[in-house]
Each structure stands twice: as C-alpha cells, then as structure tokens.
Amino acid sequence: MDLVQPVWFIGHGSPMNALMDNPFTQALGQMGRQALEKNPPKAVLVVSAHWLSRGGTFVQASPKPETIHDFGGFPPALHAFQYPAPGSPETAELLASGSQKIQTTLDWGLDHGAWTVLCHVFPEHDIPCFELSIDYGQPLSYHVTLAQELQFLRSRGVLIIGSGNIVHNLQASVANLSRGEETFAYDWAQEFDAWSTEKIADKNVADLMAYSSAPGGSRSVPTPDHYIPMLYSLALARKNEEVRFTFDQLVYGGISMRCFEIS
C-alpha cells in the first residue's frame, strides 16, 4: 500500500528565484530530495496564486502542460525558461469526475507559481504535474471546504502544493525591491507573520480565515490571491498530522517566503 503523500505550502516570491541559488531555493531542493528518498510522488498538484478563475474551479488536464511566463520585465533567460514536465490527465479527470465543483480544462498550464518552485524541487521534470485554479469570486470557506475533495489524492500518490505567500503586499515592497533591500521587513509584516505562524502550527483554519482582524492582517493580505493557497494546504491536514516549517524569511518589507510541510 502506498504511503500517504504530505502536503506542502511554498511561499514562492519573485519569479527570479527560478534562476537563483540562494537559501530559499536550496531549501526547496532539500525538500525535493527528501521526498524522493522517503515517498516519491506519482504526480504533483499545485494550487497556485497565479491561476485565478471566475465562475468555476478548473483542473488542468493537458498531457503536456505549457510553461506559462505570466509576467513581464524580467531577463530573457527567465522568459525562455522551460519546465517540460508531463501532465496527469487521468488524475485530473478522476478529480473532476468525483466533484460537482471542479471541471477539467485544456487551457492554462504551469504558471510561475508552479514552475519556479518545481524546477528546484524536482529538477529532472519527470514527475507529472498539473494545476487547480482558484475560483476568485468565492468566499474563503468555499476553498477550505473544496480542499477536502482533494484529500483522496494524497493516498493515490499525489503531492499537493499550495503556492503563494502568506504576507504579500507587493505595492509596499516594490520600492524596497528596486533598492535591493531584501532583508528589510515592516513591523506589520513581522506581526502578521508571527500571528499566522502560531495559527498554522495549531492548524487553526478558522482564525486564519479571519485574517483581517489579526495584527497587521489587512496590510499583509491586501488581496487574498496569494493567501488562499495556504488555506488549501492547511485544510488538508489530518488530525494526527503535524506542521513542520521548512523555510522562514521576510523579504523586501512585505513579502513572506515562509514554507511548511504537513505529514
């Protein structure tokens, strides 16, 4: 019998991390090596902050998902980067067939919330990868409930990864980024990072859904697009499982690179 796959959350940060060798990407590499040694996944499902849909939740069912360069203004090397992993259409069809909320699509592919992470985790790009969209018009409770429909995939060898950033105020961080002030963090970002870390460790999804009333919450999560993937990951935690933080850094004032694993 296959072992149950863990669940990850990755604070993915800048697309440039795809080309970098730094403590964050090294931590991703370590996570991947440990996964391959302990319990190699048969496929990877990513819930990315960069696939926001309207009026429905979609699962990508292409046998060869394209590498989507959903950004602008970066070096040519990044725009040319490819992550040619195969898709997992059979698994996507299985997921959609058991849900009234999820539909398959051949649109989309692997956006930078997925491939800038996966290229360090599984650099051989030989494990099938596919994505689930975030229906952005739905309340947070919808996503927490929908996460339970993904639960059975873990027992079928699918590693589920939420990819976003718990603290993600890009507007407040742009000036610091242009000045190269990577290690700077605003007080409100530190406060919310500390609060959310405690709630995540306790698997307190209810409190995390009420983030706007937390210290620094409204400034750390001005929009929930990068926050929702974390809720998917944490909502998949089982009662006997623990949360282990695998990376921890606040960068450019208002972006958290915090990552965790649930197993």
Side-chain angles (χ1 to χ4, degrees), residues 76-157:
L78 189 62
H79 287 274
F81 194 100
Q82 295 293 311
Y83 188 78
S88 187
E90 300 86 359
T91 312
E93 293 285 355
L94 180 65
L95 178 58
S97 67
S99 173
Q100 295 183 342
K101 298 176 182 176
I102 302 173
Q103 307 171 56
T104 59
T105 182
L106 296 179
D107 294 334
W108 210 247
L110 298 175
D111 59 54
H112 83 265
W115 61 262
T116 65
V117 170
L118 293 169
C119 70
H120 294 290
V121 175
F122 301 122
E124 298 300 319
H125 49 74
D126 53 354
I127 299 175
C129 299
F130 62 120
E131 285 196 34
L132 184 79
S133 78
I134 294 172
D135 188 346
Y136 203 43
Q138 296 288 349
L140 298 183
S141 57
Y142 170 91
H143 303 290
V144 169
T145 300
L146 183 59
Q148 294 309 309
E149 296 191 16
L150 314 180
Q151 188 68 256
F152 79 99
L153 294 175
R154 299 180 59 194
S155 300
R156 290 177 173 263

Side-chain angles (χ1 to χ4, degrees), residues 18-220:
L19 305 179
M20 298 296 181
D21 179 10
N22 57 33
F24 169 66
T25 63
Q26 291 164 17
L28 294 182
Q30 180 66 17
M31 291 176 74
R33 288 189 294 273
Q34 290 179 348
L36 292 175
E37 291 170 1
K38 294 179 180 178
N39 187 15
K42 296 178 179 178
V44 179
L45 173 62
V46 181
V47 181
S48 169
H50 295 281
W51 189 12
L52 305 178
S53 56
R54 297 281 184 177
T57 299
F58 298 91
V59 62
Q60 217 279 336
S62 170
K64 295 181 179 180
E66 67 172 306
T67 303
I68 301 174
H69 300 85
D70 50 331
F71 45 69
F74 288 95
L78 189 62
H79 287 274
F81 194 100
Q82 295 293 311
Y83 188 78
S88 187
E90 300 86 359
T91 312
E93 293 285 355
L94 180 65
L95 178 58
S97 67
S99 173
Q100 295 183 342
K101 298 176 182 176
I102 302 173
Q103 307 171 56
T104 59
T105 182
L106 296 179
D107 294 334
W108 210 247
L110 298 175
D111 59 54
H112 83 265
W115 61 262
T116 65
V117 170
L118 293 169
C119 70
H120 294 290
V121 175
F122 301 122
E124 298 300 319
H125 49 74
D126 53 354
I127 299 175
C129 299
F130 62 120
E131 285 196 34
L132 184 79
S133 78
I134 294 172
D135 188 346
Y136 203 43
Q138 296 288 349
L140 298 183
S141 57
Y142 170 91
H143 303 290
V144 169
T145 300
L146 183 59
Q148 294 309 309
E149 296 191 16
L150 314 180
Q151 188 68 256
F152 79 99
L153 294 175
R154 299 180 59 194
S155 300
R156 290 177 173 263
V158 179
L159 170 64
I160 301 173
I161 302 176
S163 179
N165 295 98
I166 298 168
V167 178
H168 188 263
N169 189 324
L170 193 57
Q171 184 176 3
S173 302
V174 166
N176 302 316
L177 194 152
S178 64
R179 290 193 294 263
E181 296 183 10
E182 182 176 8
T183 59
F184 171 71
Y186 293 110
D187 289 345
W188 47 262
Q190 296 180 58
E191 290 173 350
F192 187 73
D193 182 64
W195 177 88
S196 59
T197 298
E198 180 181 339
K199 300 299 181 182
I200 291 167
D202 291 340
K203 298 188 289 188
N204 191 334
V205 176
D207 279 4
L208 287 161
M209 285 197 292
Y211 65 85
S212 60
S213 61
S218 59
R219 299 189 72 179
S220 296

